[in-house]
Amino acid sequence: RTPMLAPSLGRCAVSTTIPFTARGVLSSRGARFRSVLPRVSQSPSRRAFSVTTSVGGETEDRKNNLRPIKRATELGRTSRMERVRVWAGMPSDDAVERLSVICAHCNAKLTPGQMDYDCDTTKLHPTLREKFKPLARDAATNAFLLRSSKRPYLLNLGQAYACTVLRKWVSLTDANAMLGRGKMFVLSVDHVRDLLAMDDGGPEKPKNLPQKTKKLLLDVGAGEGEVTETFRKGGEFDVVVATEASAPMVKRLRQKKIDVVIESTDVTTVTDATIAAGVVCAEEFRGFDCVCLLNVLDRCDTPFMLLNELRALLNDDGGVLVLAVVVPFRPFVEDGQNHRVPKQKLGLDPNGNWETGVNAILETVLKPCGFALERVARVPYISEGDQKHGAYILDDAVFVLSKAKETTSG
């Protein structure tokens, strides 16, 4: 097995600043929760990065990888036909394997084949090691990676310029929602089915309820709703509830006909709003079968409080929280056009490798909040690209969590 590339070990562990090229591209799914990377006073030089692996050094496969697709000013050495394809938004059949992918933590240029799904399990906490099962890049991921490449170059350029202009008055989240750009990808439908063990019957069904009980999904900080729809299909949920703070994003959510859309960051109102919408009867409501919190924890003011509130919303009989967290953990809160430090700190190291990061999240955050680990996976958190690069990525840890059983002494 070819050793996997470890962004947080080979590149991001020594990165303490955010590259200029990446910070203006990655956007949030959820208003003040998920947003553009923080501004820095200086940007690192755009030198070439060597590809390191989790076991050290370079692999022959990495060296022999096809070069990324060249965009914009890098087109000098490409053929005339490829130049035409880029400008017309008509990538070749093998374009995805040569796509230019930028790590948003350290500015390293990769190809999709170098995006990580595996890890060094020997460095994981025993509980994580037992529950870790790698996912893999699939056709849906490839299709998302090629989104920006299938748009004409001038359209990508125009959208980027328009976003820059809008940013003078609105947040990046709102600007992207208005322009329909900056979409994010975390998991495919097949990934969701795998994580929720749908092919094995899915999460354990409540034993004391009628067979026709509706399956309920809650997505917190749902953005424009693409990831929400992925979970609806993958988890075969009957009712979908979404919360979102950005008004333009809320408008897009309602266009997707999500059952209940709540324009708020206060999750304590979710139960009443769901019952008031008439999608489920008060007598039948026992909590949500699945709650999604995808790349929100590092953009919220009170993460411990939020996790405890979401735990209370889970169905006691089989409910799970799907939590995606960027590693290394570098939190900030989007406050209008500005960024600030969260009021509540988790005490996680903003540097270090992926394995060390997930170990700390489990011990420092998840266990104290009363969660039990059911599954953990590693995936790239992908933002669609622009006129410069095909995509931008961060390193994600995805946890599937249930309520820990309370122990009584005596």
Side-chain angles (χ1 to χ4, degrees):
R1 184 166 65 110
T2 303
M4 84 300 295
L5 183 72
S8 56
L9 175 64
R11 307 189 306 272
C12 298
V14 295
S15 171
T16 57
T17 59
I18 304 302
F20 176 82
T21 55
R23 71 168 190 249
V25 176
L26 282 177
S27 61
S28 67
R29 281 184 66 227
R32 69 177 65 181
F33 293 137
R34 271 167 271 189
S35 184
V36 64
L37 294 170
R39 300 188 177 186
V40 294
S41 56
Q42 294 180 345
S43 60
S45 60
R46 302 190 187 192
R47 59 183 175 84
F49 287 79
S50 61
V51 176
T52 59
T53 70
S54 60
V55 294
E58 294 186 30
T59 65
E60 199 64 31
D61 286 344
R62 301 296 184 195
K63 295 177 183 177
N64 294 334
N65 267 352
L66 291 170
R67 285 159 42 186
I69 290 180
K70 300 296 182 180
R71 314 278 301 204
T73 58
E74 300 179 275
L75 289 171
R77 296 182 182 179
T78 59
S79 67
R80 179 176 296 179
M81 180 55 70
E82 186 169 350
R83 208 177 280 125
V84 170
R85 285 183 178 277
V86 169
W87 277 83
M90 301 172 61
S92 56
D93 294 338
D94 63 345
V96 67
E97 298 302 332
R98 297 179 291 115
L99 198 69
S100 173
V101 178
I102 299 297
C103 173
H105 269 155
C106 65
N107 215 25
K109 180 181 287 188
L110 314 172
T111 59
Q114 294 169 324
M115 299 190 311
D116 281 317
Y117 289 89
D118 212 336
C119 74
D120 186 350
T121 55
T122 63
K123 296 180 179 179
L124 293 178
H125 184 283
T127 303
L128 289 164
R129 189 183 310 132
E130 179 187 354
K131 300 296 184 179
F132 181 83
K133 180 182 176 183
L135 299 171
R137 180 163 59 99
D138 58 12
T141 309
N142 288 341
F144 185 88
L145 285 167
L146 284 174
R147 272 193 178 186
S148 67
S149 298
K150 290 185 176 181
R151 292 195 297 262
Y153 174 83
L154 290 178
L155 178 57
N156 283 323
L157 180 63
Q159 285 189 333
Y161 177 76
C163 185
T164 301
V165 173
L166 286 172
R167 284 281 285 129
K168 296 178 181 179
W169 299 283
V170 299
S171 69
L172 180 69
T173 301
D174 290 350
N176 280 335
M178 293 173 185
L179 296 170
R181 71 187 294 271
K183 290 180 172 58
M184 317 300 289
F185 184 94
V186 185
L187 299 163
S188 69
V189 171
D190 287 341
H191 290 158
V192 173
R193 292 188 64 83
D194 192 337
L195 286 171
L196 298 182
M198 295 303 298
D199 295 331
D200 298 326
E204 186 177 350
K205 301 288 180 63
K207 303 179 182 64
N208 56 342
L209 295 178
Q211 193 171 9
K212 292 183 180 180
T213 300
K214 296 178 180 178
K215 288 182 63 178
L216 305 180
L217 169 68
L218 169 63
D219 189 6
V220 178
E224 43 73 47
E226 283 202 10
V227 181
T228 314
E229 286 294 326
T230 297
F231 266 83
R232 182 206 289 267
K233 295 175 184 176
E236 300 175 7
F237 293 99
D238 303 303
V239 176
V240 178
V241 181
T243 72
E244 176 55 51
S246 166
M249 289 291 187
V250 167
K251 182 178 179 181
R252 289 192 174 273
L253 277 172
R254 287 175 174 150
Q255 290 172 348
K256 286 182 168 56
K257 297 182 180 180
I258 304 295
D259 298 296
V260 182
V261 178
I262 304 168
E263 188 175 347
S264 175
T265 58
D266 183 6
V267 298
T268 61
T269 64
V270 167
T271 299
D272 291 339
T274 301
I275 294 173
V279 294
V280 62
C281 298
E283 296 77 15
E284 295 179 359
F285 186 78
R286 305 293 180 92
F288 289 91
D289 299 287
C290 179
V291 175
C292 295
L293 190 70
L294 306 177
N295 301 298
V296 167
L297 204 64
D298 57 348
R299 297 295 176 262
C300 102
D301 237 346
T302 53
F304 274 122
M305 183 183 298
L306 178 61
L307 286 172
N308 285 317
E309 290 170 347
L310 295 182
R311 184 180 181 278
L313 290 174
L314 291 178
N315 190 326
D316 289 331
D317 203 350
V320 294
L321 169 68
V322 180
L323 172 70
V325 183
V326 171
V327 180
F329 190 80
R330 299 174 182 178
F332 68 89
V333 176
E334 184 185 34
D335 192 354
Q337 294 176 285
N338 301 314
H339 302 137
R340 59 177 174 80
V341 177
K343 295 176 181 177
Q344 197 174 63
K345 297 182 180 180
L346 296 183
L348 299 172
D349 192 342
N351 300 297
N353 60 46
W354 187 87
E355 293 83 359
T356 301
V358 295
N359 287 342
I361 291 171
L362 177 68
E363 291 294 325
T364 308
V365 181
L366 302 182
K367 285 185 176 180
C369 286
F371 288 105
L373 183 67
E374 303 295 332
R375 173 79 182 273
V376 64
R378 182 182 191 175
V379 296
Y381 180 29
I382 309 171
S383 169
E384 66 178 357
D386 53 16
Q387 78 280 7
K388 294 180 180 179
H389 300 285
Y392 296 81
I393 65 168
L394 292 169
D395 210 6
D396 245 1
V398 180
F399 302 89
V400 180
L401 307 163
S402 61
K403 288 185 178 181
K405 295 180 180 179
E406 296 182 4
T407 58
T408 57
S409 58

